[in-house]
Amino acid sequence: MQTHFGFQTVDEQEKERRVRGVFDSVAGKYDIMNDVMSAGLHRLWKREMVSALAPRSGQHVLDVAGGTGDIAFRILKYCHSGTGRNLRSSTSESPDMDPGLRRDDGINVTVCDINEAMLNEGKNRAIDANRREGLEWVVGNAEALPFPDAHFDAYTIAFGIRNVTHIEKALAEAYRVLKIGGKFLCLEFSHIPNEVLAKIYDSYSFNIIPWIGQQITQDRASYQYLVESIRKFPDQETFAKMIKVAGFGNVNYRNMTGGVVALHTGRKL
Ligand code: SAM
């Protein structure tokens, strides 16, 4: 079977191999590239996602395509802060440098990613922040998660599902591993309804982002893939329907930054 890798058509196995290659190549510079490309906006988007998750002590959260652990660190930080209001008023914007992370927050986050190089970056961040408890790092494919049924209180995936070969399989797996009542949250680049804004964004994406990628990672192609893969991802309404088809209830979405990013949510009822 064939699928897309950015704007190219490739075999399904070839897509998985190439996606792995992209993140092998960028792992070491992944975090700094996020800041530069999004002018820091990814922090705001992720913060909104964690606020919407509203994790509580005693819960077990699965962060799929968790990469270098950015979402996991933010979940731990949120629990330490106590409330979303505290989190927003926090002056520290670096999720891994907050000394509060050393406290036992009573929450467990499993970070699962297909790419070991990305997870290793995350493990090093955890070591640097002296944060070992409450975190688990597991190599695994979103399409065939190595976890039992009804195991987690929440499932998060940020900027990951776009890279998965069969989105439907990843959604079915999310549903399977969640407990009844469990929350599903997906943060992903999306589609901008405003035509003027969309043109400006296109110009920035196709001209500037691959150039920044070349300057910082010496890898233009991986960032060309990034911008192309965003255009191939289903729009907000289509993706919401796919989440419903997977079995989730209470499906909703919220645009951020005019639709550059959307947060889709649902619940296993
Ligand atoms: N969630 C992190 C964040 O927001 O910073 C990392 C996002 S990064 C853009 C995408 C991640 O998806 C990479 O770490 C990549 O290895 C992972 N990934 C791609 N395909 C995957 C799959 N089939 N299963 C699990 N992870 C996958």
Side-chain angles (χ1 to χ4, degrees):
M1 285 278 280
Q2 300 228 294
T3 186
H4 51 80
F5 175 79
F7 291 164
Q8 298 172 45
T9 302
V10 296
D11 280 345
E12 288 182 345
Q13 289 90 341
E14 175 71 0
K15 170 162 177 164
E16 196 174 305
R17 197 185 62 75
R18 287 208 200 181
V19 168
R20 210 183 286 261
V22 164
F23 291 102
D24 273 340
S25 161
V26 305
K29 295 278 172 58
Y30 176 78
D31 293 309
I32 184 161
M33 267 305 285
N34 271 350
D35 271 333
V36 176
M37 276 186 314
S38 74
L41 278 173
H42 77 107
R43 292 167 180 257
L44 211 133
W45 300 327
K46 288 170 175 170
R47 200 165 62 184
E48 287 295 311
M49 182 196 211
V50 174
S51 289
L53 172 65
R56 288 201 313 269
S57 206
Q59 290 186 326
H60 193 171
V61 179
L62 174 64
D63 183 44
V64 174
T68 59
D70 221 23
I71 297 297
F73 291 123
R74 283 168 194 281
I75 291 172
L76 296 174
K77 183 179 173 185
Y78 180 101
C79 283
H80 169 65
S81 306
T83 65
R85 188 175 50 76
N86 284 348
L87 181 72
R88 273 192 288 276
S89 65
S90 164
T91 49
S92 165
E93 260 304 308
S94 176
D96 51 348
M97 292 305 157
D98 182 352
L101 283 180
R102 291 189 199 100
R103 240 177 60 168
D104 182 7
D105 307 305
I107 185 149
N108 287 296
V109 185
T110 298
V111 184
C112 177
D113 198 286
I114 204 165
N115 189 301
E116 208 163 1
M118 291 290 279
L119 291 178
N120 285 339
E121 288 294 322
K123 286 182 198 168
N124 287 336
R125 284 174 77 180
I127 291 166
D128 290 346
N130 195 18
R131 177 32 135 159
R132 320 279 173 99
E133 308 88 40
L135 273 176
E136 188 192 13
W137 307 86
V138 177
V139 177
N141 189 336
E143 295 185 31
L145 292 171
F147 307 108
D149 296 357
H151 194 66
F152 296 97
D153 298 292
Y155 172 110
T156 54
I157 183 164
F159 306 113
I161 204 154
R162 186 185 76 245
N163 299 295
V164 164
T165 310
H166 305 98
I167 296 172
E168 297 85 353
K169 279 193 193 167
L171 292 173
E173 280 292 87
Y175 190 84
R176 180 183 68 76
V177 299
L178 276 172
K179 294 176 186 168
I180 298 288
K183 286 184 182 177
F184 168 86
L185 292 97
C186 176
L187 189 65
E188 190 50 90
F189 291 108
S190 202
H191 294 255
I192 301 177
N194 181 298
E195 280 179 26
V196 177
L197 192 61
K199 281 212 173 94
I200 297 168
Y201 178 59
D202 268 357
S203 169
Y204 172 72
S205 308
F206 285 101
N207 298 311
I208 313 284
I209 289 182
W211 181 83
I212 298 174
Q214 175 63 31
Q215 303 310 309
I216 295 182
T217 66
Q218 284 72 55
D219 179 0
R220 184 187 175 91
S222 289
Y223 286 91
Q224 183 70 30
Y225 160 74
L226 168 85
V227 293
E228 291 180 4
S229 65
I230 293 170
R231 300 313 184 281
K232 297 300 277 185
F233 191 68
D235 65 25
Q236 288 86 330
E237 282 296 327
T238 310
F239 187 50
K241 278 188 197 127
M242 293 171 79
I243 297 168
K244 284 182 197 155
V245 168
F248 288 99
N250 295 354
V251 176
N252 234 312
Y253 70 83
R254 168 165 24 124
N255 283 340
M256 298 181 197
T257 320
V260 170
V261 163
L263 175 67
H264 282 77
T265 53
R267 221 178 243 279
K268 180 169 174 176
L269 299 175

